[in-house]
Amino acid sequence: MTAKRSKAVFPGSFDPITNGHLDIIDRALKVFEEVILAILVNPEKRPLFSVDERVRLCREACRGRRRVRVTTFSGLLVDYAESAGARVIVRGLRAISDFEYEFQMALMNRRLNSEIETVFMMPAESYSYLSSRMVKEVSALGGQVGRFVPAVVERRLRLRSRSNGRRARTAGRPRKTKK
Ligand code: PNS
């Protein structure tokens, strides 16, 4: 079986999906026939966007990429990959700082299932500093994030920071009561 015919899982939190993630997806599509974008459902984390919202944003962002499927998973990644019929996990490596965590995760996953390989892909240099966490921070502080995320995510972030701003401005004001 050639790699081009195979499936790869691209797992992550995608809270939210960024242009760096899309860059990795496009690179993976050059090698694999199908890319399964798998969003981790983790009740212990407190994400900005709910799982349903992240699925919707990822689907919108990947619209037009016919060989990408957006799903969710919980539990062990290798179990999910196996059940989805994928033998490859794709992860993006932006910088050396990513390496240690990714290396540990890849080796642990190999220990858990030696049939599944992790493949690392480097995004364009212009995305090497980009992360979902920074995008959220910049947006929450009123910065422009249009260059870093798909348009649908930018709109969603803008709506969120606008309503948070409104909430912050009205917090502490005495409530109007009907007479
Ligand atoms: O986008 P993220 O948060 O860096 O993605 C991390 C993710 C989802 C790939 C990782 O947390 C994961 O695979 N979790 C599933 C649990 C698991 O399989 N753990 C064992 C390997 S470390």
Side-chain angles (χ1 to χ4, degrees):
M1 191 164 81
T2 63
K4 192 76 181 150
R5 290 219 191 106
S6 58
K7 291 183 197 177
V9 174
F10 180 35
S13 305
F14 301 102
D15 184 39
I17 187 166
T18 68
N19 290 342
H21 292 126
L22 290 176
D23 180 287
I24 296 293
I25 290 169
D26 288 334
R27 286 172 203 281
L29 285 171
K30 290 185 196 160
V31 182
F32 303 101
E33 189 52 40
E34 184 180 1
V35 174
I36 304 170
L37 187 161
I39 302 170
L40 176 68
V41 179
N42 183 353
E44 276 161 34
K45 270 199 178 174
R46 293 202 52 204
L48 180 65
F49 294 108
S50 70
V51 173
D52 288 348
E53 268 182 306
R54 280 179 278 155
V55 167
R56 194 178 62 74
L57 292 174
C58 288
R59 287 203 174 129
E60 282 275 321
C62 293
R63 186 176 284 183
R65 291 171 173 85
R66 284 185 303 108
R67 291 182 288 121
V68 176
R69 187 152 56 90
V70 176
T71 61
T72 61
F73 78 104
S74 52
L76 286 177
L77 173 59
V78 286
D79 291 347
Y80 171 71
E82 190 169 44
S83 71
R87 288 185 154 206
V88 175
I89 293 167
V90 168
R91 291 285 290 171
L93 258 193
R94 291 163 300 188
I96 295 288
S97 50
D98 283 342
F99 184 74
E100 191 162 343
Y101 169 64
E102 294 296 336
F103 186 64
Q104 281 179 0
M105 196 156 69
L107 291 185
M108 175 57 84
N109 283 331
R110 185 192 283 167
R111 258 296 156 93
L112 294 169
N113 187 332
S114 58
E115 296 294 306
I116 294 176
E117 287 296 334
T118 300
V119 168
F120 293 108
M121 292 188 154
M122 272 72 75
E125 299 91 283
S126 49
Y127 298 129
S128 58
Y129 59 89
L130 185 57
S131 69
S132 300
R133 188 177 58 77
M134 280 213 179
V135 164
K136 284 183 281 195
E137 188 171 321
V138 170
S139 173
L141 296 171
Q144 302 288 321
V145 293
R147 277 168 297 159
F148 312 132
V149 292
V152 63
V153 173
E154 197 227 340
R155 278 197 299 275
R156 195 69 194 80
L157 281 168
R158 212 168 343 115
L159 279 178
R160 260 200 112 103
S161 46
R162 219 181 280 159
S163 65
N164 284 349
R166 233 182 349 252
R167 219 170 291 145
R169 279 195 300 279
T170 53
R173 275 192 208 160
R175 285 243 183 112
K176 281 184 188 161
T177 48
K178 282 186 184 159
K179 290 190 181 158

